[in-house]
Amino acid sequence: MQPQFITIEGGEGVGKTTNLQLIESLLKQNRIDFIVTREPGGTPFAEEIRELLLNKRQEAVDPVAELLLVFAARKQHVEQTIKPALASGQWVVCDRFTDATFAYQGGGRELGFELIEQINQLALAGFKPNKTLLLDVDPDIGMQRAAKRSELDRFESEQMAFFERVRAAYRQRASDDAERFMVVDAGQDLVNVQTDITTVFQEYIDGVTHD
Ligand code: TMP
């Protein structure tokens, strides 16, 4: 059985943290050895880049500068954490990955997909997740949830139009690569969201482990 690289994606307030815990418990029930990590971050160096990216600041951050930092962190994370875990036979569950760059920098910051694809090739040479769970919700609902949490970071402080573009870009990615994506409607009640995730995720695990 090939160890799998799984990512969880979605806009702000989609419930990634809660649903990540559900995925962890499903993997445990299936006796799968795995690590959980996140982006931006996942190594000490990449976590420092995360701080740079998320901290609110007076200076406007150039979107391409932001994009390059995201990929700097990702390259480090892939080489230091993700690939070694997969090579040792562990599955990797990652909270956000390159699809977030397509959504936030490509869509949100309006850099487009082509530039991101080029840098992605340069940095990662086609390395991508086996499966991606996209939690999809109307940004109006998502931002209401996110606003109830702690102080908003640099991304969360964006305008609603930014989050509409993020959502549209995520949905575009999902329809362009329907085989890799599992899309769940995260606007439903949590119980229903979790039922949906359990169904699609267990089906996926069964498919991989019974190959
Ligand atoms: P988090 O709050 O879900 O951990 O994500 C941190 C923020 O970083 C989130 O607002 C999305 C943003 N982000 C990007 O803009 N581009 C990326 O490639 C990644 C991974 C995250």
Side-chain angles (χ1 to χ4, degrees):
M1 179 184 73
Q2 195 72 12
Q4 300 287 294
F5 175 32
I6 297 158
T7 57
I8 301 176
E9 298 280 1
E12 310 298 330
V14 292
K16 276 191 297 106
T17 310
T18 314
N19 292 309
L20 193 63
Q21 285 166 1
L22 171 66
I23 286 173
E24 286 181 45
S25 67
L26 288 170
L27 289 171
K28 280 185 196 144
Q29 278 168 29
N30 285 271
R31 299 177 193 285
I32 290 166
D33 186 17
F34 64 95
I35 62 159
V36 178
T37 184
R38 70 169 179 183
E39 290 219 343
T43 84
F45 179 72
E47 288 287 333
E48 284 189 39
I49 298 177
R50 179 189 176 91
E51 294 282 301
L52 281 176
L53 284 163
L54 265 55
N55 283 347
K56 282 210 235 170
R57 58 187 74 244
Q58 291 296 318
E59 183 182 351
V61 178
D62 181 89
V64 177
E66 181 180 284
L67 172 67
L68 294 171
L69 271 181
V70 164
F71 269 106
R74 178 161 304 132
K75 177 68 174 167
Q76 183 74 4
H77 186 212
V78 166
E79 299 304 335
Q80 299 293 320
T81 308
I82 299 176
K83 284 187 178 170
L86 293 170
S88 78
Q90 289 179 302
W91 289 32
V92 174
V93 180
C94 191
D95 182 346
R96 296 192 188 281
F97 197 65
T98 309
D99 295 303
T101 314
F102 281 94
Y104 281 80
Q105 281 66 47
R109 301 280 188 233
E110 299 182 278
L111 291 177
F113 282 7
E114 205 177 307
L115 174 66
I116 303 196
E117 197 49 75
Q118 284 170 1
I119 298 176
N120 190 26
Q121 279 306 323
L122 185 80
L124 303 189
F127 180 79
K128 64 173 186 177
N130 298 103
K131 267 293 165 202
T132 298
L133 173 66
L134 173 60
L135 299 170
D136 179 53
V137 79
D138 184 332
D140 271 337
I141 301 173
M143 285 315 290
Q144 275 173 31
R145 292 182 188 156
K148 285 189 193 136
R149 299 193 302 236
S150 52
E151 213 190 312
L152 300 181
D153 65 30
R154 200 169 61 82
F155 290 99
E156 291 165 337
S157 310
E158 285 293 336
Q159 302 297 315
M160 199 48 85
F162 177 91
F163 299 111
E164 299 282 3
R165 292 195 296 274
V166 168
R167 183 190 196 195
Y170 266 134
R171 288 161 70 113
Q172 181 67 50
R173 293 287 294 164
S175 71
D176 289 349
D177 196 353
E179 201 144 297
R180 174 164 64 89
F181 274 87
M182 307 180 279
V183 183
V184 166
D185 174 5
Q188 315 171 78
D189 285 346
L190 185 61
V191 187
N192 296 330
V193 174
Q194 300 217 321
T195 306
D196 284 0
I197 293 175
T198 305
T199 306
V200 289
F201 208 77
Q202 189 58 51
E203 203 173 293
Y204 160 60
I205 293 176
D206 290 343
V208 176
T209 53
H210 296 146
D211 258 356

